[in-house]
Amino acid sequence: MGLKKTVAKNMSRIEARKLGLALLVGCCIVILTYFVSMSETTGVDQQLSVAYRVGTVEVVDGKISLQKPERLRKAEGGHGNSAEEKVHHTDFSDISHITAKEEKRESKKPKDEETLPPKREAERSQTMKPQVVEPICDFSDPRTEFCEMKGDVRIHGKSSSVVFVSPHQRSNEWKVVPYVRKQMGNVEKVSVRTASSPGGVPECTTNRSVPAIVFALGGFTGNYYHDFTDVLLPLFLTARQFDGEVQFLITNIQVWWLHKYDPIIKRLTRYEFVDLDDSNQVLCHPHVMVGLRFHNDLTIQPARAPNGYSMLDFTAFLRSAYSLKKAHAISLREHPDRKPRLLLVARNGTRRFTNLPEIVQMAEGLNYEVVRADADFGDVAGFAGVVNSCDVIMGVHGAGLTNLVFLPMNAVLIQIVPCCELEGMATHTFGFPSMGAGLNYLEYNISVEESTLLEKYPREHPVFTDPQSLHKQGWFKMGKIYLVKQNVKLDVNRFRPFLVRAMDLLGR
C-alpha cells in the first residue's frame, strides 16, 4: 500500500514536469513563429517600398501616381516613361495591397495632416482664398499704356468710353492713350472704367462674337519709320494671335493710311474697321484691348509676345502679305559667279549722298549690281518688291532704312551714321531691329571731313568739338543741326572695306 502511494506520487510529479515542459516548448514555438512572421512581412514591405517608393504615392485628379526610383528608371532604359507615371486600369491591381498598407500607416496621422480628396481640397481652397482679380490696365511701361478685358465689354465711340461690367471688379476709371507713345498730345484719350453691375451702363446696340482692338492713328503716323514702329508692328503683336478673327476700332482715323497699308491690314483682320469718333453705337465684344502691345522701337521680345512671336515672324508675315518671293539672300558660296544686288537708298531731302555717281562706280567695281531707288510715298507694295530682290541695302540714317523689314533673311544692312556722336541712336533705330530680323548689320560712322556741316560751321565749332553740348539741348535742337542740315560726301576709299565685308557675309 505504501509502495503504491509512493509510485503514484512520483508519477504525478513526472506528469507535472512533462506538462510544464510542454507549455515551455509551446511558448517558444509561438514566439519564434511571431518573429519569423514579422521578419518576412518587414522584408516584403521593404522590397515593395524600394521598388515602388510607396511613401511617395500621391492622388492627383483622382489618379494614383507612383514615382520609381532613379536606378529602376535607368534599368528600364529611361524611355517611354516620365519620372512620374500615371497608373490606370491594370496597374492598379498590382499596387492595391501596397496602398492598403499605406492607408493603415497614414491613419495614425493627426486629423489636420489628413489628405482630402481632390474635389474637397479644391472646394476648401475656394472657400478659404479670396478670388484674385487680375488688373485690366498696365501703366508700368514709361512709354505705353495697355488695357485688356474679357467678358461683358461695351464701347461707345463718340464718348470715347469703354466699360467693363463684372461683379468681381470695383468701380474704377482710367484715361488711356491708345497709342504707343502716351505723351502724344494729339491723341485723344479713351475712358476705361469698370462697373460691378449693368445698372447705369449703356445697353448694347451691336453684339460681336470676336475680340476688338481700340487704337489711334494720330501721333507720328505718316512718317514711314513711325508707321511701322508705332502702329504696324505693335498691331501685328496685338492682333496676329487671332488669325484675322478680330475687329479694329480706330480713333483719329486716317482712311488714306489704311489704304496705303491695305495688304497688311487685311491679313490682320477679316472685318471692316470702325471709325469710333463717328460711331454713336454701343458695340459689345467678349474681349477688348485698348492700346497696342509694344516692346521697343521696331523690336519684338519673344518672351513677352503672344505665341512667342519674334521679328522673324513679323518679317515673314510681311513677305507673305506682299507676296514677296525671296526668302533668303544670295549665297555666294553656292553661286560664286553671280552678282549680289546692292540697293542704294538715295534720299532726296536731307542726309543725302552728294557724290552718288562715285559711290555707284566703286560698288560696281567690287562686282555689285547696283539698284538706285527711293520709295514712292503711296507705293509700298512696289518698293517692297524692289527691296526684297536685293541682298544688300545701304543708306544714310533715315526712314528709308525701315525697308529692312522686306529684305530676305541673311541679307546685309549697312547704315551710314552722320556725325557727330549719333551712333547710339542709329544702332537703336535700325541696328538691333535688323539683327532681330535675321540680317547682318554693318555700321559706318562718317568722319567730320565727310559731313557737309563743314560748309556751315568752322572745324573748331562745338558742333564738331563738343556734340554733347547740343545733344543736351533736346531732340529738336540736336535734330535741326545733325539731321536736317547735314548731307554726306562719302569717302569711297574709307568706305570700300564695308562693301567687301558685306560680300564676305554673303559668302559664308
mmCIF file of all heavy atoms in Angstrom, residues 449-472:
data_model
loop_
_atom_site.group_PDB
_atom_site.id
_atom_site.type_symbol
_atom_site.label_atom_id
_atom_site.label_comp_id
_atom_site.label_asym_id
_atom_site.label_seq_id
_atom_site.Cartn_x
_atom_site.Cartn_y
_atom_site.Cartn_z
ATOM 1 N N GLU A 449 35.163 115.148 -91.866
ATOM 2 C CA GLU A 449 35.508 115.569 -93.224
ATOM 3 C C GLU A 449 34.496 115.082 -94.259
ATOM 4 O O GLU A 449 34.456 115.626 -95.377
ATOM 5 C CB GLU A 449 36.905 115.059 -93.587
ATOM 6 C CG GLU A 449 38.054 115.797 -92.903
ATOM 7 C CD GLU A 449 38.085 115.567 -91.393
ATOM 8 O OE1 GLU A 449 37.682 114.470 -90.959
ATOM 9 O OE2 GLU A 449 38.506 116.486 -90.665
ATOM 10 N N GLU A 450 33.692 114.091 -93.936
ATOM 11 C CA GLU A 450 32.675 113.596 -94.873
ATOM 12 C C GLU A 450 31.324 114.271 -94.681
ATOM 13 O O GLU A 450 30.366 113.967 -95.396
ATOM 14 C CB GLU A 450 32.503 112.083 -94.693
ATOM 15 C CG GLU A 450 33.731 111.268 -95.070
ATOM 16 C CD GLU A 450 33.586 109.798 -94.697
ATOM 17 O OE1 GLU A 450 33.894 109.448 -93.525
ATOM 18 O OE2 GLU A 450 33.175 109.003 -95.568
ATOM 19 N N SER A 451 31.244 115.199 -93.729
ATOM 20 C CA SER A 451 29.987 115.880 -93.437
ATOM 21 C C SER A 451 29.939 117.248 -94.096
ATOM 22 O O SER A 451 30.919 118.018 -94.053
ATOM 23 C CB SER A 451 29.829 116.054 -91.929
ATOM 24 O OG SER A 451 28.708 116.859 -91.633
ATOM 25 N N THR A 452 28.802 117.577 -94.688
ATOM 26 C CA THR A 452 28.637 118.902 -95.294
ATOM 27 C C THR A 452 28.458 119.988 -94.240
ATOM 28 O O THR A 452 28.373 121.172 -94.593
ATOM 29 C CB THR A 452 27.427 118.909 -96.243
ATOM 30 O OG1 THR A 452 26.244 118.560 -95.509
ATOM 31 C CG2 THR A 452 27.623 117.925 -97.389
ATOM 32 N N LEU A 453 28.394 119.604 -92.967
ATOM 33 C CA LEU A 453 28.308 120.627 -91.910
ATOM 34 C C LEU A 453 29.567 121.499 -91.891
ATOM 35 O O LEU A 453 29.537 122.632 -91.389
ATOM 36 C CB LEU A 453 28.123 119.963 -90.544
ATOM 37 C CG LEU A 453 26.763 119.311 -90.275
ATOM 38 C CD1 LEU A 453 26.750 118.639 -88.908
ATOM 39 C CD2 LEU A 453 25.637 120.343 -90.362
ATOM 40 N N LEU A 454 30.674 120.980 -92.453
ATOM 41 C CA LEU A 454 31.909 121.773 -92.544
ATOM 42 C C LEU A 454 31.711 122.996 -93.424
ATOM 43 O O LEU A 454 32.468 123.978 -93.320
ATOM 44 C CB LEU A 454 33.055 120.917 -93.100
ATOM 45 C CG LEU A 454 33.861 120.095 -92.094
ATOM 46 C CD1 LEU A 454 34.901 119.264 -92.820
ATOM 47 C CD2 LEU A 454 34.513 120.985 -91.046
ATOM 48 N N GLU A 455 30.708 122.954 -94.303
ATOM 49 C CA GLU A 455 30.423 124.100 -95.153
ATOM 50 C C GLU A 455 29.657 125.180 -94.397
ATOM 51 O O GLU A 455 29.538 126.312 -94.867
ATOM 52 C CB GLU A 455 29.611 123.652 -96.373
ATOM 53 C CG GLU A 455 30.326 122.609 -97.224
ATOM 54 C CD GLU A 455 29.422 122.015 -98.287
ATOM 55 O OE1 GLU A 455 28.268 122.493 -98.405
ATOM 56 O OE2 GLU A 455 29.840 121.070 -98.982
ATOM 57 N N LYS A 456 29.137 124.842 -93.199
ATOM 58 C CA LYS A 456 28.301 125.772 -92.421
ATOM 59 C C LYS A 456 28.973 126.218 -91.128
ATOM 60 O O LYS A 456 28.679 127.295 -90.610
ATOM 61 C CB LYS A 456 26.955 125.121 -92.098
ATOM 62 C CG LYS A 456 26.139 124.730 -93.319
ATOM 63 C CD LYS A 456 24.840 124.053 -92.899
ATOM 64 C CE LYS A 456 23.942 123.772 -94.095
ATOM 65 N NZ LYS A 456 24.523 122.799 -95.021
ATOM 66 N N TYR A 457 29.854 125.370 -90.575
ATOM 67 C CA TYR A 457 30.482 125.683 -89.291
ATOM 68 C C TYR A 457 31.986 125.475 -89.404
ATOM 69 O O TYR A 457 32.444 124.551 -90.108
ATOM 70 C CB TYR A 457 29.941 124.777 -88.177
ATOM 71 C CG TYR A 457 28.440 124.852 -87.995
ATOM 72 C CD1 TYR A 457 27.609 123.924 -88.615
ATOM 73 C CD2 TYR A 457 27.865 125.841 -87.187
ATOM 74 C CE1 TYR A 457 26.239 123.978 -88.443
ATOM 75 C CE2 TYR A 457 26.485 125.907 -87.010
ATOM 76 C CZ TYR A 457 25.672 124.971 -87.637
ATOM 77 O OH TYR A 457 24.322 125.034 -87.489
ATOM 78 N N PRO A 458 32.764 126.295 -88.703
ATOM 79 C CA PRO A 458 34.218 126.079 -88.704
ATOM 80 C C PRO A 458 34.561 124.795 -87.957
ATOM 81 O O PRO A 458 33.820 124.339 -87.098
ATOM 82 C CB PRO A 458 34.761 127.329 -87.979
ATOM 83 C CG PRO A 458 33.618 127.834 -87.171
ATOM 84 C CD PRO A 458 32.376 127.503 -87.944
ATOM 85 N N ARG A 459 35.734 124.246 -88.266
ATOM 86 C CA ARG A 459 36.130 122.953 -87.702
ATOM 87 C C ARG A 459 36.225 122.986 -86.175
ATOM 88 O O ARG A 459 35.978 121.976 -85.513
ATOM 89 C CB ARG A 459 37.489 122.546 -88.284
ATOM 90 C CG ARG A 459 37.962 121.162 -87.869
ATOM 91 C CD ARG A 459 37.049 120.097 -88.444
ATOM 92 N NE ARG A 459 37.498 118.738 -88.141
ATOM 93 C CZ ARG A 459 37.277 118.081 -87.000
ATOM 94 N NH1 ARG A 459 36.623 118.703 -86.025
ATOM 95 N NH2 ARG A 459 37.691 116.855 -86.837
ATOM 96 N N GLU A 460 36.511 124.139 -85.584
ATOM 97 C CA GLU A 460 36.644 124.232 -84.127
ATOM 98 C C GLU A 460 35.325 124.558 -83.435
ATOM 99 O O GLU A 460 35.288 124.749 -82.223
ATOM 100 C CB GLU A 460 37.699 125.291 -83.766
ATOM 101 C CG GLU A 460 37.359 126.712 -84.187
ATOM 102 C CD GLU A 460 37.779 127.035 -85.614
ATOM 103 O OE1 GLU A 460 38.162 126.087 -86.343
ATOM 104 O OE2 GLU A 460 37.727 128.212 -85.989
ATOM 105 N N HIS A 461 34.236 124.579 -84.169
ATOM 106 C CA HIS A 461 32.919 124.891 -83.589
ATOM 107 C C HIS A 461 32.471 123.736 -82.683
ATOM 108 O O HIS A 461 32.780 122.568 -82.947
ATOM 109 C CB HIS A 461 31.894 125.099 -84.712
ATOM 110 C CG HIS A 461 30.618 125.731 -84.249
ATOM 111 N ND1 HIS A 461 29.609 125.013 -83.648
ATOM 112 C CD2 HIS A 461 30.191 127.037 -84.295
ATOM 113 C CE1 HIS A 461 28.605 125.821 -83.355
ATOM 114 N NE2 HIS A 461 28.936 127.063 -83.732
ATOM 115 N N PRO A 462 31.709 124.053 -81.599
ATOM 116 C CA PRO A 462 31.208 122.986 -80.720
ATOM 117 C C PRO A 462 30.387 121.915 -81.429
ATOM 118 O O PRO A 462 30.264 120.794 -80.922
ATOM 119 C CB PRO A 462 30.351 123.750 -79.704
ATOM 120 C CG PRO A 462 30.951 125.116 -79.659
ATOM 121 C CD PRO A 462 31.427 125.394 -81.065
ATOM 122 N N VAL A 463 29.823 122.231 -82.594
ATOM 123 C CA VAL A 463 29.106 121.220 -83.361
ATOM 124 C C VAL A 463 29.990 120.013 -83.600
ATOM 125 O O VAL A 463 29.522 118.862 -83.586
ATOM 126 C CB VAL A 463 28.627 121.809 -84.712
ATOM 127 C CG1 VAL A 463 28.212 120.714 -85.682
ATOM 128 C CG2 VAL A 463 27.476 122.773 -84.484
ATOM 129 N N PHE A 464 31.302 120.253 -83.783
ATOM 130 C CA PHE A 464 32.254 119.170 -84.009
ATOM 131 C C PHE A 464 33.050 118.811 -82.757
ATOM 132 O O PHE A 464 33.328 117.636 -82.503
ATOM 133 C CB PHE A 464 33.234 119.561 -85.126
ATOM 134 C CG PHE A 464 32.559 119.948 -86.408
ATOM 135 C CD1 PHE A 464 32.649 121.251 -86.882
ATOM 136 C CD2 PHE A 464 31.826 119.024 -87.132
ATOM 137 C CE1 PHE A 464 32.032 121.617 -88.070
ATOM 138 C CE2 PHE A 464 31.194 119.387 -88.317
ATOM 139 C CZ PHE A 464 31.292 120.689 -88.787
ATOM 140 N N THR A 465 33.420 119.824 -81.973
ATOM 141 C CA THR A 465 34.303 119.582 -80.836
ATOM 142 C C THR A 465 33.557 119.158 -79.576
ATOM 143 O O THR A 465 34.140 118.490 -78.711
ATOM 144 C CB THR A 465 35.130 120.843 -80.531
ATOM 145 O OG1 THR A 465 34.238 121.929 -80.195
ATOM 146 C CG2 THR A 465 35.987 121.235 -81.733
ATOM 147 N N ASP A 466 32.298 119.549 -79.447
ATOM 148 C CA ASP A 466 31.524 119.209 -78.245
ATOM 149 C C ASP A 466 30.067 118.897 -78.628
ATOM 150 O O ASP A 466 29.144 119.631 -78.266
ATOM 151 C CB ASP A 466 31.579 120.368 -77.246
ATOM 152 C CG ASP A 466 30.953 120.013 -75.904
ATOM 153 O OD1 ASP A 466 30.761 118.792 -75.637
ATOM 154 O OD2 ASP A 466 30.639 120.938 -75.122
ATOM 155 N N PRO A 467 29.860 117.781 -79.358
ATOM 156 C CA PRO A 467 28.497 117.446 -79.797
ATOM 157 C C PRO A 467 27.512 117.292 -78.645
ATOM 158 O O PRO A 467 26.321 117.627 -78.781
ATOM 159 C CB PRO A 467 28.685 116.130 -80.544
ATOM 160 C CG PRO A 467 30.106 116.110 -80.945
ATOM 161 C CD PRO A 467 30.834 116.800 -79.845
ATOM 162 N N GLN A 468 27.990 116.836 -77.486
ATOM 163 C CA GLN A 468 27.076 116.607 -76.368
ATOM 164 C C GLN A 468 26.445 117.902 -75.867
ATOM 165 O O GLN A 468 25.342 117.889 -75.303
ATOM 166 C CB GLN A 468 27.804 115.903 -75.228
ATOM 167 C CG GLN A 468 28.066 114.427 -75.474
ATOM 168 C CD GLN A 468 26.772 113.661 -75.734
ATOM 169 O OE1 GLN A 468 25.778 113.834 -75.032
ATOM 170 N NE2 GLN A 468 26.790 112.804 -76.754
ATOM 171 N N SER A 469 27.100 119.017 -76.064
ATOM 172 C CA SER A 469 26.512 120.292 -75.643
ATOM 173 C C SER A 469 25.242 120.593 -76.422
ATOM 174 O O SER A 469 24.326 121.243 -75.911
ATOM 175 C CB SER A 469 27.525 121.425 -75.827
ATOM 176 O OG SER A 469 27.839 121.601 -77.210
ATOM 177 N N LEU A 470 25.157 120.072 -77.648
ATOM 178 C CA LEU A 470 23.941 120.234 -78.441
ATOM 179 C C LEU A 470 22.943 119.126 -78.134
ATOM 180 O O LEU A 470 21.734 119.368 -78.098
ATOM 181 C CB LEU A 470 24.275 120.254 -79.935
ATOM 182 C CG LEU A 470 24.786 121.604 -80.467
ATOM 183 C CD1 LEU A 470 26.259 121.784 -80.164
ATOM 184 C CD2 LEU A 470 24.527 121.738 -81.960
ATOM 185 N N HIS A 471 23.439 117.937 -77.917
ATOM 186 C CA HIS A 471 22.542 116.828 -77.587
ATOM 187 C C HIS A 471 21.755 117.126 -76.319
ATOM 188 O O HIS A 471 20.573 116.774 -76.212
ATOM 189 C CB HIS A 471 23.350 115.533 -77.407
ATOM 190 C CG HIS A 471 23.812 114.934 -78.694
ATOM 191 N ND1 HIS A 471 23.100 113.977 -79.378
ATOM 192 C CD2 HIS A 471 24.938 115.153 -79.426
ATOM 193 C CE1 HIS A 471 23.765 113.620 -80.472
ATOM 194 N NE2 HIS A 471 24.876 114.323 -80.522
ATOM 195 N N LYS A 472 22.411 117.783 -75.361
ATOM 196 C CA LYS A 472 21.758 118.073 -74.095
ATOM 197 C C LYS A 472 20.652 119.121 -74.214
ATOM 198 O O LYS A 472 19.844 119.278 -73.309
ATOM 199 C CB LYS A 472 22.798 118.527 -73.068
ATOM 200 C CG LYS A 472 23.754 117.415 -72.641
ATOM 201 C CD LYS A 472 24.825 117.936 -71.700
ATOM 202 C CE LYS A 472 25.796 116.831 -71.303
ATOM 203 N NZ LYS A 472 26.897 117.348 -70.423
#
